[in-house]
Amino acid sequence: MTEVSQQAAEFLENVFEQSGLQLRVGVKQGIAGEVLDIEGADAELLQAQTGELLEALQHLINQVFGRSLTGNTRLVCDVNGFRATREAELQAMANHAANRVRQTGFAFTFEPMSANERRIIHLTLADSEDLFTESIGEGSDRKLRIGLKSSPRKDS
């Protein structure tokens, strides 16, 4: 566990304590880096509205501590495996869409999703030599498109 992730965990625990929330923060190693694992009696509050509060906490943590991290490393906040489950879902969706694009030859565009969710799909398909991924649109309407590198970028 790095010093930065430990400081971030202590910061979050202080925020939770000052807010009167019964939550604890541990640090564990994840696939893309260190995960601030949040658990406790009030954990469900962080999962409401498809994890918007959890997403906001992660954004805050990376704004405060991100400059102290090396390379493209980011701190990830998770609660009761919520993000890990969602990441697995997104990876499965990415692979399913990739197979569909390969079979039909037509690009596939996902519905709008958060920057973190788009990033997971980009990373899942990054090693695919025959596919491209790109984010399109603006703001909260930003989507992700997958297509064949050798084909015109048509939507299905």
Side-chain angles (χ1 to χ4, degrees), residues 97 100-108 146-148 151-152 154-156:
R100 180 174 165 184
V101 168
R102 288 181 180 113
Q103 289 173 353
T104 66
F106 290 99
F108 179 85
I146 301 170
L148 291 174
S151 72
K154 298 181 273 184
D155 279 322
S156 60

Side-chain angles (χ1 to χ4, degrees), residues 122-139:
H122 284 302
L123 291 174
T124 300
L125 300 177
D127 293 333
S128 299
E129 294 179 12
D130 60 334
L131 299 174
F132 70 87
T133 62
E134 65 180 346
S135 292
I136 56 174
E138 298 291 326

Side-chain angles (χ1 to χ4, degrees), residues 23-115:
L23 295 167
R24 295 172 309 287
V25 182
V27 180
K28 64 182 183 180
Q29 188 62 39
I31 295 171
E34 292 185 332
V35 176
L36 300 174
D37 193 30
I38 304 166
E39 54 185 34
D42 293 323
E44 288 183 14
L45 294 172
L46 301 178
Q47 294 173 282
Q49 301 297 317
T50 65
E52 286 180 14
L53 184 54
L54 185 63
E55 190 77 32
L57 282 173
Q58 180 171 303
H59 179 76
L60 175 66
I61 287 296
N62 281 289
Q63 289 297 308
V64 174
F65 297 98
R67 287 184 177 83
S68 301
L69 298 170
T70 58
N72 285 338
T73 308
R74 294 181 51 199
L75 291 170
V76 175
C77 295
D78 196 6
V79 59
N80 295 334
F82 176 79
R83 216 178 266 290
T85 301
R86 181 65 176 151
E87 185 173 317
E89 288 173 355
L90 289 166
Q91 289 172 333
M93 289 167 48
N95 289 321
H96 178 75
N99 289 334
R100 180 174 165 184
V101 168
R102 288 181 180 113
Q103 289 173 353
T104 66
F106 290 99
F108 179 85
T109 303
F110 287 94
E111 292 297 316
M113 56 180 61
S114 71

